[in-house]
Amino acid sequence: MKGLNDKQAEAVMQTEGPVLLLAGAGSGKTRVLTHRVAYLIEEKGVDPYNILAITFTNKAAGEMRDRVDLIVSHGAGRVWVSTFHALCVRILRRYIDKLGYENSFTIYDSDDQKAAVKACLKKLNIDPKQYSEKMVISEISKAKEQFIAPYEYDREASGNYRKMQIARVYTEYQKRLKQSNALDFDDLLYKTVELFQFNPGILDSYQERFKYIMIDEYQDTNHIQFLLVKLLASKYRNLCVVGDDDQSIYKFRGANIYNILNFEKEYPEAKVIKLEQNYRSTGNILKAANGVISNNEGRKEKALWTEESDGDKVTFSLYDTEYLEADGVVSEIVRRHREGRPYHHFAILYRTNAQSRIFEEKLLLKNVPYKIIGGQNFYGRKEIKDIISYLKVIDNGQDELAVRRIVNVPKRGIGDASILKVMAYADTYDMSLIDALYAASDIPGLNRAASKIEAFTSLISEFKDYVEEGVSLEELYDSILERTGYMDELIAEGTDEASVRIENLNELKNKIVTYESEAETPTLSGLLEEIALVAEVDSVSENEDVVLLMTLHSAKGLEFPCVFLGGMEDRLFPSNMALNSDDSDAVEEERRLCYVGITRARENLHLSASRQRMMNGSTNYNPVSRFVKEIPGDVITINGEGAYAIKKQEKNLFESDNDFRSVNNTFSQRKPYSYYGSNTNRNSGKSYGYSKSTAKMPLFGKEFKVTAADIDYGVGDRVSHVKFGEGTVIELNKGDKDYEVKVQFDKPEYGIKRMFASFAKLKKI
């Protein structure tokens, strides 16, 4: 019990019955789990054979075993420490014959799954363009997570043609797996639950084996995992689950937050212990985290605290553009590094992978070493390399690697055997690969592949003609995505992975649009040269002193002395998808993700946002994230250095007010004038009122006069349109007879629209 605080000690000693340990970020939950195992063995005399501890990764399982070994005199090796999947494999290897399989079953990986589904689609004569392998696999996986059998899925799909087709594939897929004596990863849990349900004697033997069960990261469990745990623990009910509902951020992977929120309903006699003392972050960082997460309704009440000092305040900087934001972040890292901070003390976190590009470019320009965690270099991602290869071939067809990469991407029926014949022909006649492809009709043995190669070379010729005709690089890029069917294929795939790839392609378009607008004489060769200069990043070893870049999802479980959290804007974070979702939990999950990001910081936390940001090739004006506004005013400061349009009087006003939310409207495009319309600056005594004839949007630094009586909105106001929905006024110009209004609409398909006020009939929200 040495070194444990009171609550940790209570959690260790509460060994009987169901226990819910609400372990906040940095509260030492792993320490509690390992000491609890040791306490059961050393103090309670429990046979290690009767203890089961489930973690989510093999690495975490190994670490737990090692730590238990250090504090237990003997027997630690007999404790069953495992992931869910490893536990199920061991059980099924012994008993799966009860379900009609052989015990020597094989486990399909993702490629095996894809091949099996592809064969099913072909057998059932279902168009793979309408029902892509990845989309079907995703739907089947979701069904298995809910413990829904093929016949149940088919029954529930009645009347829904799309689901009825997927039900056919699901049925055929499971039939094919059974014939091959194979399971996929979802089957490992599904078949174990099925085994227990139909074989109570086997279930009883494992209930006797696992009299004490502990589950880590319980907030990340899905429904099938919940069912498995419920079955195993139903006899002795000595179940201890450890988790933090405020860190439940994997709903897209099937995690069900209600497993932890409803634990006391499932186990009414449960003992709930809150681990709220934090050993990671300073007081101000914890107050910021508590201020944000307290706005979620679907959570267990708790608040992190520390015995350490408050430390530095959280800083927030607002920049004109995302490029200035990235430059500001990297400049601050460089400054602190010169003061003696090693690079590995810094982490840059962001909501989406696509945001990494600009940070990468700025880090390279300032010669700052970095590494991306949980993702590739932006220009190293498959979809980016594919489209850049198209651009290379259009610009210079002699690039053999680029030609080979795209000749059958997307798939157009040109196989490896055909390419080898073309390459042999090129070698024989000392030709480049692209020239040999243009001569496909002369190459013997190509047969039907010749016409497919000709279609490819015709497409390349068409793109080359576009360039000679002087079309913009943006138009060329759009044509490549459209004419090749690359984007259509990703849209049809309909998976989370495809959505990420689409985001990355949109970010590449942002790069192209920016280059074209800034270069004196933009050319395709110039674009490719600029990309090559920033894309050439050497691999970094684990031990090097580097700045780490990662998404917020990848950052979970990690901690850093200094964290920069970029892109703090509504419609980016929280995401536009979450804001427009019918799911009431969507924004709350985004808020939990923000809480995870904040609590990664030990000493310093820097938040930043951009007034305007290019998204999918268009400039967007997004309000500052609501999450920034939820941070208490006494723990956050506005960094006016380098931030745009932060006027000194506004900074003074902010600093004199203890409640940041009272000046939130300074950063809100929804109600930009409400604070200034009725309050007086207590420092200067000056009143910042406005009238209908003269209105000022403080942060945007623009003044305009409103004289028409029928116009009741201005720059920054939220408005609605009968067709385009809700949006934000970003520009308003008075003409001779009417106002010209420029609106950034929320729905990405509408984007920015210019219209005359008398026709637009916008209504202020």
Side-chain angles (χ1 to χ4, degrees):
M1 306 301 291
K2 185 179 180 181
L4 300 178
N5 65 39
D6 291 345
K7 287 295 182 181
Q8 289 174 333
E10 182 184 358
V12 166
M13 293 186 288
Q14 185 66 44
T15 59
E16 307 305 307
V19 181
L20 171 59
L21 299 184
L22 291 172
S27 62
K29 68 179 178 64
T30 305
R31 183 183 183 85
V32 170
L33 279 175
T34 53
H35 280 256
R36 196 171 191 274
V37 172
Y39 185 82
L40 283 167
I41 297 170
E42 299 283 3
E43 301 296 329
K44 301 292 289 186
V46 174
D47 188 334
Y49 180 82
N50 295 132
I51 301 173
L52 170 66
I54 295 180
T55 64
F56 265 76
T57 66
N58 290 317
K59 180 182 178 182
E63 289 176 353
M64 184 175 290
R65 287 192 203 94
D66 293 341
R67 292 175 72 164
V68 172
D69 280 337
L70 292 174
I71 53 177
V72 175
S73 58
H74 65 278
R78 299 182 69 209
V79 176
W80 194 329
V81 184
S82 171
T83 64
F84 274 105
H85 288 101
L87 168 70
C88 292
V89 168
R90 287 180 65 177
I91 294 171
L92 293 173
R93 285 292 181 206
R94 187 172 181 183
Y95 291 113
I96 199 171
D97 58 301
K98 304 295 183 183
L99 299 177
Y101 289 76
E102 295 179 17
N103 297 86
S104 59
F105 62 87
T106 58
I107 301 172
Y108 274 8
D109 62 18
S110 57
D111 288 337
D112 296 328
Q113 281 184 282
K114 190 174 181 181
V117 168
K118 184 177 182 179
C120 293
L121 291 170
K122 185 176 182 180
K123 180 178 179 180
L124 299 172
N125 198 28
I126 295 176
D127 185 357
K129 293 181 180 179
Q130 298 293 322
Y131 298 87
S132 70
E133 292 100 334
K134 287 187 177 181
M135 182 273 288
V136 173
I137 289 170
S138 176
E139 288 296 313
I140 292 174
S141 178
K142 290 174 184 176
K144 290 181 180 179
E145 285 176 359
Q146 294 299 315
F147 199 53
I148 298 173
Y151 74 89
E152 293 174 306
Y153 191 96
D154 185 46
R155 185 178 61 208
E156 294 176 7
S158 179
N160 184 321
Y161 181 77
R162 177 177 173 275
K163 286 189 174 293
M164 289 169 66
Q165 293 292 82
I166 294 172
R168 293 176 64 208
V169 182
Y170 186 10
T171 302
E172 180 63 27
Y173 173 70
Q174 289 306 116
K175 180 181 176 182
R176 185 174 292 268
L177 286 176
K178 185 76 176 290
Q179 290 172 341
S180 302
N181 193 40
L183 304 178
D184 62 26
F185 272 88
D186 294 311
D187 280 328
L188 296 176
L189 286 108
Y190 188 104
K191 293 300 178 183
T192 304
V193 172
E194 190 175 61
L195 173 71
F196 287 159
Q197 286 192 338
F198 289 103
N199 298 273
I202 296 175
L203 172 60
D204 184 70
S205 69
Y206 281 101
Q207 290 172 339
E208 286 295 325
R209 168 78 190 267
F210 303 131
K211 294 180 180 179
Y212 292 87
I213 301 173
M214 285 175 279
I215 314 292
D216 194 11
E217 302 288 3
Y218 193 66
Q219 78 280 350
D220 293 334
T221 55
N222 59 27
H223 184 66
I224 194 76
Q225 290 164 338
F226 164 79
L227 293 177
L228 178 62
V229 171
K230 183 179 178 180
L231 286 167
L232 287 172
S234 61
K235 187 170 186 177
Y236 289 99
R237 299 177 75 82
N238 294 326
L239 172 64
C240 175
V241 301
V242 186
D244 183 6
D245 52 301
D246 291 334
Q247 296 187 74
S248 178
I249 59 172
Y250 294 122
K251 186 173 184 178
F252 67 96
R253 295 182 188 169
N256 184 356
I257 191 175
Y258 292 101
N259 288 350
I260 193 168
L261 293 179
N262 294 338
F263 186 80
E264 294 149 278
K265 292 181 180 178
E266 192 66 40
Y267 301 94
E269 76 276 30
K271 173 74 173 178
V272 180
I273 301 172
K274 298 179 182 179
L275 304 180
E276 298 171 291
Q277 184 174 356
N278 178 280
Y279 293 92
R280 177 188 299 158
S281 306
T282 62
N284 281 330
I285 290 172
L286 296 182
K287 290 174 187 175
N290 291 333
V292 171
I293 202 63
S294 64
N295 289 275
N296 270 5
E297 295 181 4
R299 66 184 293 263
K300 301 280 190 180
E301 189 62 37
K302 55 188 173 299
L304 296 175
W305 61 276
T306 181
E307 291 180 344
E308 302 299 319
S309 65
D310 283 344
D312 294 339
K313 289 188 176 184
V314 176
T315 67
F316 172 69
S317 298
L318 189 58
Y319 297 86
D320 256 326
T321 69
E322 66 267 44
Y323 294 93
L324 291 175
E325 178 193 19
D327 189 68
V329 168
V330 175
S331 295
E332 178 66 11
I333 290 174
V334 170
R335 183 184 72 79
R336 292 191 171 220
H337 178 68
R338 287 172 180 164
E339 293 175 353
R341 283 271 195 178
Y343 283 126
H344 68 261
H345 277 199
F346 303 100
I348 301 174
L349 310 182
Y350 34 79
R351 178 63 182 86
T352 67
N353 273 309
Q355 290 172 254
S356 71
R357 176 183 69 84
I358 298 172
F359 286 115
E360 287 184 66
E361 292 185 2
K362 296 299 181 183
L363 288 163
L364 284 164
L365 288 172
K366 294 182 184 293
N367 295 314
V368 177
Y370 72 92
K371 182 177 182 180
I372 295 180
I373 303 297
Q376 293 175 292
N377 171 296
F378 178 82
Y379 292 105
R381 291 164 184 151
K382 178 186 182 302
E383 60 277 10
I384 302 302
K385 292 183 75 171
D386 287 345
I387 302 306
I388 288 177
S389 292
Y390 268 102
L391 293 172
K392 286 180 177 180
V393 173
I394 296 165
D395 185 57
N396 174 21
Q398 306 308 308
D399 189 333
E400 182 172 319
L401 288 177
V403 173
R404 289 189 64 181
R405 183 179 185 92
I406 64 169
V407 68
N408 197 38
V409 175
K411 293 187 185 304
R412 45 177 66 93
I414 305 172
D416 291 340
S418 298
I419 295 300
L420 288 174
K421 290 176 182 176
V422 175
M423 292 177 68
Y425 183 86
D427 288 340
T428 301
Y429 293 94
D430 195 24
M431 302 169 65
S432 67
L433 178 59
I434 191 70
D435 289 337
L437 288 170
Y438 273 101
S441 59
D442 299 329
I443 300 175
L446 284 181
N447 302 322
R448 287 181 297 176
S451 61
K452 296 171 182 176
I453 291 173
E454 287 175 357
F456 167 73
T457 54
S458 295
L459 191 61
I460 296 299
S461 296
E462 182 179 329
F463 292 145
K464 285 178 175 290
D465 290 341
Y466 287 167
V467 174
E468 291 180 2
E469 291 165 8
V471 303
S472 69
L473 296 177
E474 181 185 3
E475 289 174 307
L476 175 64
Y477 177 81
D478 289 341
S479 296
I480 292 171
L481 291 182
E482 179 185 351
R483 297 284 287 111
T484 62
Y486 200 102
M487 184 64 82
D488 289 340
E489 190 173 88
L490 288 175
I491 293 170
E493 185 176 304
T495 63
D496 290 329
E497 181 183 353
S499 297
V500 170
R501 289 185 171 182
I502 291 171
E503 288 178 359
N504 290 335
L505 288 173
N506 289 338
E507 184 62 19
L508 178 58
K509 182 176 180 178
N510 292 344
K511 170 65 180 178
I512 292 170
V513 171
T514 302
Y515 164 78
E516 203 162 20
S517 64
E518 293 178 352
E520 288 187 13
T521 309
T523 63
L524 179 54
S525 297
L527 170 68
L528 292 170
E529 179 181 329
E530 184 167 306
I531 288 175
L533 290 174
V534 298
E536 193 62 40
V537 183
D538 295 329
S539 60
V540 186
S541 71
E542 291 290 334
N543 298 321
E544 281 191 287
D545 186 28
V546 296
V547 175
L548 294 181
L549 281 72
M550 68 193 78
T551 64
L552 287 156
H553 283 101
S554 297
K556 188 171 180 291
L558 304 176
E559 58 183 74
F560 312 93
C562 186
V563 167
F564 291 85
L565 218 172
M568 297 298 294
E569 303 141 33
D570 272 1
R571 295 199 287 274
L572 182 60
F573 190 35
S575 68
N576 193 55
M577 184 180 298
L579 292 174
N580 292 322
S581 175
D582 294 330
D583 183 357
S584 59
D585 185 58
V587 172
E588 295 214 343
E589 174 139 348
E590 294 280 300
R591 187 175 282 110
R592 293 193 291 269
L593 193 56
C594 182
Y595 172 84
V596 166
I598 291 172
T599 54
R600 298 312 93 195
R602 295 207 301 260
E603 301 167 21
N604 303 109
L605 175 64
H606 303 278
L607 310 177
S608 59
S610 172
R611 179 178 72 90
Q612 64 182 49
R613 181 179 299 272
M614 189 173 290
M615 301 172 74
N616 193 23
S618 299
T619 300
N620 284 248
Y621 296 82
N622 298 326
V624 170
S625 172
R626 62 198 64 199
F627 303 149
V628 175
K629 305 168 190 177
E630 292 167 355
I631 297 175
D634 59 346
V635 302
I636 188 170
T637 60
I638 298 175
N639 175 14
E641 297 300 322
Y644 91 99
I646 303 284
K647 289 185 288 188
K648 189 173 183 179
Q649 61 196 24
E650 293 169 350
K651 188 173 181 182
N652 290 340
L653 175 63
F654 167 79
E655 291 174 344
S656 68
D657 199 314
N658 289 327
D659 185 2
F660 186 51
R661 279 165 288 193
S662 69
V663 289
N664 277 345
N665 291 320
T666 300
F667 300 101
S668 172
Q669 292 183 345
R670 184 172 53 196
K671 298 176 181 176
Y673 313 131
S674 60
Y675 188 86
Y676 286 81
S678 59
N679 287 274
T680 299
N681 184 320
R682 278 172 279 174
N683 288 340
S684 65
K686 295 179 181 179
S687 175
Y688 295 95
Y690 75 97
S691 65
K692 197 168 188 178
S693 61
T694 304
K696 184 175 182 180
M697 173 56 185
L699 274 182
F700 283 85
K702 296 180 180 178
E703 290 193 28
F704 56 87
K705 293 190 180 295
V706 181
T707 56
D710 57 342
I711 299 295
D712 63 348
Y713 50 80
V715 172
D717 275 343
R718 297 283 293 166
V719 294
S720 66
H721 185 274
V722 66
K723 177 181 178 182
F724 305 133
E726 296 183 1
T728 302
V729 178
I730 58 175
E731 194 175 307
L732 185 64
N733 298 304
K734 187 178 185 302
D736 293 336
K737 297 181 179 180
D738 203 349
Y739 283 97
E740 184 181 358
V741 186
K742 189 177 180 181
V743 180
Q744 168 76 59
F745 287 101
D746 295 348
K747 294 182 178 179
E749 60 264 35
Y750 297 129
I752 296 175
K753 299 286 186 184
R754 286 184 178 273
M755 57 197 80
F756 287 111
S758 58
F759 292 102
K761 292 182 170 56
L762 298 170
K763 292 184 179 179
K764 185 176 178 181
I765 302 174

